[in-house]
Amino acid sequence: MKKSFTILLLFLFTLSGYSQEQRAYESCTYVNNVSVSEIPRFIELYKQFTDMSLGDNRTQSSEWLFRHWYGSGHTFVIYSAYDSMEDYHADADLAEANITAKIKAVTDADQQKVLMDEWAELASFWDDHTDEIRVRNTSTGFYAKEGTDFDSPFVMSVGRYNSSGSWGDMGNGFFNWVTVPDVDNDVSLAGGVSYHYMGSGPDVEVWNCYRSLVDFATAVTAKKELSDTAKEGRKTFWSLADGAHEDQIYLHIGHVNMEKGVFDLAGADR
């Protein structure tokens, strides 16, 4: 109980510095133990039923599907963003209702049964999943150059850390050390920071996107001239990193195109 109370105090202290900022909440779903042979089928079904779930009534602001490429753990991760926790709680029922309505609208009974069976098949992949909710702030939650094209199978590197002090100071340190310089210098496509809110997960999660695995490898091995701000950010970040950390490398599979109302597979004309 004492540890949980301490974590809550740290989280509230972190957010107090961002009282003037808008926050977004991320639902993170980790899909485990999908075999290599099942991966294409999962993606096929995920797109099919994500498309069916979409509608003007949905409350999400974005949704992204990544395949795990390197590191230990899950096969896929799904990031869905919401402007509030009220939107998050409402959205699951809305997605299910939209799918149900579209299945019922199919007049052919055999085709209806096929769709119900396929929906159950997709749901079976969730049997061993885990969830968490994370929160990100306006200033550091997402950083990219205006007009960046994300419709490509880019690589996302994710670092997951616990903190011995202020989560906000730690996240800001990474943002100033890596995220801003790499994006501004066209080394990475985008980056950001999120903080633990609900479920099991690390205090601070940092991420950066790269055009390819080659670009990622080049970025992490190249020597860089750091500004004074970046040097101070690096010092702050590592001074607050507590214990072992976890690194993951993901490949972008696709995301919901909010304007078109479809799940867009990564790559041109997909």
Side-chain angles (χ1 to χ4, degrees):
M1 174 66 86
K2 183 178 179 181
K3 182 178 180 182
S4 298
F5 182 68
T6 301
I7 290 173
L8 177 61
L9 286 179
L10 284 171
F11 178 68
L12 294 175
F13 178 74
T14 294
L15 293 187
S16 66
Y18 298 100
S19 58
Q20 303 303 314
E21 290 199 49
Q22 183 177 354
R23 303 184 196 118
Y25 297 83
E26 290 183 339
S27 168
C28 312
T29 301
Y30 304 97
V31 181
N32 300 296
N33 301 322
V34 179
S35 68
V36 173
S37 63
E38 293 176 312
I39 285 174
R41 180 60 172 166
F42 174 86
I43 296 171
E44 177 187 7
L45 291 172
Y46 185 84
K47 172 173 171 50
Q48 176 182 349
F49 285 97
T50 299
D51 285 348
M52 293 175 68
S53 75
L54 297 173
D56 292 339
N57 59 342
R58 292 290 302 277
T59 59
Q60 65 187 142
S61 58
S62 68
E63 181 171 316
W64 298 77
L65 175 66
F66 292 90
R67 177 187 170 186
H68 185 267
W69 183 257
Y70 181 81
S72 60
H74 40 275
T75 312
F76 291 97
V77 60
I78 303 159
Y79 291 102
S80 300
Y82 300 90
D83 293 334
S84 68
M85 285 301 294
E86 290 78 13
D87 284 351
Y88 161 73
H89 287 300
D91 198 56
D93 289 340
L94 294 172
E96 183 174 345
N98 289 347
I99 293 172
T100 300
K102 287 173 183 175
I103 291 176
K104 287 183 176 179
V106 175
T107 57
D108 185 278
D110 290 338
Q111 183 58 31
Q112 265 197 7
K113 184 179 186 310
V114 169
L115 288 171
M116 290 299 296
D117 289 345
E118 288 177 334
W119 195 11
E121 182 183 355
L122 177 62
S124 70
F125 287 110
W126 263 254
D127 287 347
D128 190 29
H129 81 280
T130 58
D131 298 291
E132 67 169 315
I133 304 295
R134 306 192 63 80
V135 65
R136 52 184 168 86
N137 300 303
T138 306
S139 62
T140 62
F142 177 84
Y143 187 74
K145 290 183 178 178
E146 187 174 351
T148 298
D149 182 11
F150 291 99
D151 188 16
S152 65
F154 62 79
V155 174
M156 183 166 74
S157 171
V158 177
R160 296 158 63 84
Y161 299 81
N162 287 316
S163 175
S164 61
S166 167
W167 300 2
D169 287 348
M170 186 177 178
N172 288 342
F174 188 90
F175 189 78
N176 293 330
W177 164 36
V178 177
T179 307
V180 172
D182 278 7
V183 171
D184 286 349
N185 293 323
D186 205 31
V187 175
S188 71
L189 292 172
V193 182
S194 70
Y195 303 97
H196 178 66
Y197 186 78
M198 186 183 299
S200 61
D203 300 340
V204 180
E205 182 174 287
V206 297
W207 58 272
N208 279 81
C209 298
Y210 303 88
R211 292 175 181 84
S212 67
L213 286 167
V214 173
D215 280 6
F216 165 69
T218 300
V220 298
T221 57
K223 292 184 178 180
K224 305 174 186 176
E225 291 294 329
L226 299 180
S227 67
D228 290 342
T229 300
K231 289 178 182 177
E232 185 62 29
R234 178 178 64 183
K235 179 180 177 182
T236 299
F237 178 81
W238 286 119
S239 71
L240 293 170
D242 185 29
H245 73 277
E246 174 188 324
D247 293 311
Q248 302 288 347
I249 300 174
Y250 299 118
L251 296 181
H252 172 223
I253 300 301
H255 63 279
V256 171
N257 185 316
M258 302 303 294
E259 293 182 0
K260 295 181 180 179
V262 298
F263 182 78
D264 186 5
L265 290 168
D269 302 321
R270 295 194 67 198

